[in-house]
Amino acid sequence: MHPGARTDVGPPSRFLTSRPTLGFGGWAVGGTGWGVSAAERDRLGAIERAVERGVTFFDTAPTYGDGASESLLGRALRPFRERVAIATKIGPRDDPRASLEASLARLGTDYVDVAQLHEAGDQWEWQLEQLSRVREEGKALAVGVSNASHLQLTRALELAPLQTYQGPYNLFDRDVEERHLPLCRRHGIAFLAYRPLASGLLGGAYHAPPSFPEADHRRNIYWFQGAEFARRHEAIARLERLARDRGSSLPALALAWVLARPGVAVVLAGARNAAQVDDNVTAVHRPLTPDEVATVDAIVAETFRPPRASPSARAQAAGWGERERYIVEQLDGSRTYEAIAAGWTDRGEQPMVAAQVKVFCDQLAERGLVE
């Protein structure tokens, strides 16, 4: 495809509805990267229960369990193939055609509903053009992008008939609200929200910073440690009370919050057994009221008040790097971490996310440089 290509094709009707839907995130059923692996029968049972409970969108990737997620999904979904949508991904260093054909073999299907770039790597523009050609051959009904900056997403719209964007989104991590969600709404792109439970933190099981096994991908996620864990744990204690008051679990509350956000098409919730699927589905049947959404937002806003840089910080920043100086200049006590990160990315520099701003602000706080 070339600049000016038609981009108003729209997402496949089999998963786009007039309201956000709950999808199934397939990483955890791959059996690796999430601590001790659940038994295969339990992981298979999770997929089957999702179908029973009306879930029709399943997202996976070749890297989830080194192909195990795709293989398991293929086995479980084969009897229901025409009733469900399957999305998979292409790695940043993979040939799109070879990668997708290998995925189709593992999934046991002739096509996927969405083929996505897993992230925007060095050759992502070439990959996207190649993926569009594969779509024209019928091996994918739609093309999407995941984990790209909003500037890359804007560029992608010039290269291909893009139909989905997948990004992380939960009540703590809201970078996409600044640029991605508005961009998707303007162009009619379906937004697929992954990590709606903050990689399990919003499951409510962690009352102290956890120690994950070496192979667990959460081992190096910053919100499971230090000051960020303390902040999130404080908010979770209040959110758990809200969940109890409405007769639901914390995960169901967190999923219902994402389902209530404007512009979200599918919320991808993972599960490793049928019971987790049942709990996730309650988020659909027990939506949040506007007052409950406002209460959640107030709890999070109070917990994550942006700091103000001290005069000493502003003076010292003159000798720091450009990114650090930029952040300090923006720390006026009113700009959110997400807004600061998006403003930097607008400049066309190396993209920034709110997590990086928070970590830097914690470093400033340790030195007494914020108010």
Side-chain angles (χ1 to χ4, degrees):
M1 303 297 289
H2 302 284
R6 181 178 175 222
T7 59
D8 62 345
V9 178
S13 59
R14 67 164 55 206
F15 70 83
L16 182 67
T17 64
S18 60
R19 53 191 296 181
T21 60
L22 185 72
F24 188 95
W27 189 356
V29 294
T32 61
W34 291 87
V36 178
S37 176
E40 183 178 288
R41 65 177 179 277
D42 292 331
R43 291 181 280 125
L44 188 63
I47 302 168
E48 293 170 342
R49 181 61 62 86
V51 176
E52 291 174 10
R53 298 302 304 271
V55 175
T56 59
F57 188 91
F58 294 80
D59 178 79
T60 183
T63 55
Y64 297 168
D66 195 22
S69 173
E70 290 181 325
S71 296
L72 197 65
L73 281 165
R75 285 167 50 196
L77 298 177
R78 193 165 297 124
F80 317 104
R81 183 64 187 96
E82 295 308 311
R83 290 166 42 192
V84 300
I86 299 175
T88 193
K89 305 179 185 76
I90 309 299
R93 289 173 293 278
D94 296 339
D95 176 83
R97 182 179 299 279
S99 178
L100 184 55
E101 288 179 349
S103 291
L104 293 176
R106 286 188 290 268
L107 288 162
T109 183
D110 295 330
Y111 70 97
V112 292
D113 295 81
V114 192
Q116 308 157 91
L117 297 187
H118 207 150
E119 60 183 87
D122 293 338
Q123 54 179 355
W124 74 268
E125 293 189 4
W126 172 83
Q127 285 184 308
L128 186 57
E129 291 180 344
Q130 295 302 308
L131 203 53
S132 294
R133 293 192 177 98
V134 175
R135 181 194 66 84
E136 292 169 356
E137 297 169 10
K139 295 181 179 180
L141 301 186
V143 169
V145 173
S146 178
N147 297 315
S149 73
H150 61 270
L151 296 181
Q152 290 169 327
L153 179 56
T154 299
R155 172 61 176 156
L157 288 166
E158 299 175 345
L159 298 173
L162 201 67
Q163 296 168 322
T164 69
Y165 176 75
Q166 183 174 156
Y169 193 28
N170 59 68
L171 57 84
F172 288 138
D173 303 296
R174 306 188 183 195
D175 283 280
V176 297
E177 291 180 352
E178 293 294 324
R179 303 288 188 272
H180 292 83
L181 274 172
L183 187 60
C184 288
R185 287 196 295 268
R186 286 199 302 273
H187 291 275
I189 299 171
F191 181 84
L192 315 179
Y194 79 84
R195 203 181 278 165
L197 297 180
S199 297
L201 181 65
L202 284 165
Y206 303 107
H207 303 291
S211 178
F212 292 113
E214 187 70 34
D216 195 313
H217 81 284
R218 296 170 293 182
R219 186 180 179 89
N220 297 316
I221 294 181
Y222 84 107
W223 61 71
F224 283 107
Q225 52 197 285
E228 184 70 7
F229 178 85
R231 283 190 291 264
R232 295 189 182 211
H233 185 260
E234 175 188 339
I236 283 172
R238 299 175 63 186
L239 293 167
E240 285 178 325
R241 290 193 292 272
L242 176 61
R244 286 195 299 270
D245 289 344
R246 69 188 304 268
S248 71
S249 68
L250 175 63
L253 172 74
L255 291 175
W257 182 88
V258 185
L259 285 164
R261 307 310 291 176
V264 173
V266 182
V267 178
L268 299 169
R272 297 200 293 180
N273 57 58
Q276 290 178 347
V277 171
D278 287 337
D279 190 46
N280 291 345
V281 171
T282 62
V284 177
H285 302 304
R286 291 287 310 281
L288 295 184
T289 66
D291 286 345
E292 289 172 329
V293 171
T295 299
V296 170
D297 289 341
I299 290 172
V300 175
E302 184 176 343
T303 304
F304 291 92
R305 288 198 188 110
R308 181 189 303 274
S310 69
S312 179
R314 297 186 185 281
Q316 292 184 41
W320 295 349
E322 187 177 4
R323 284 166 66 95
E324 290 78 11
R325 290 201 307 273
Y326 169 82
I327 294 174
V328 170
E329 291 168 0
Q330 304 301 309
L331 293 178
D332 62 0
S334 64
R335 290 186 178 90
T336 66
Y337 300 105
E338 291 82 5
I340 292 171
W344 171 268
T345 305
D346 284 342
R347 298 158 51 133
E349 309 283 350
Q350 180 68 26
M352 185 187 295
V353 294
Q356 294 167 303
V357 181
K358 290 179 182 178
V359 169
F360 182 62
C361 287
D362 285 339
Q363 294 170 348
L364 294 177
E366 290 172 0
R367 298 168 58 184
L369 296 176
V370 294
E371 301 172 346

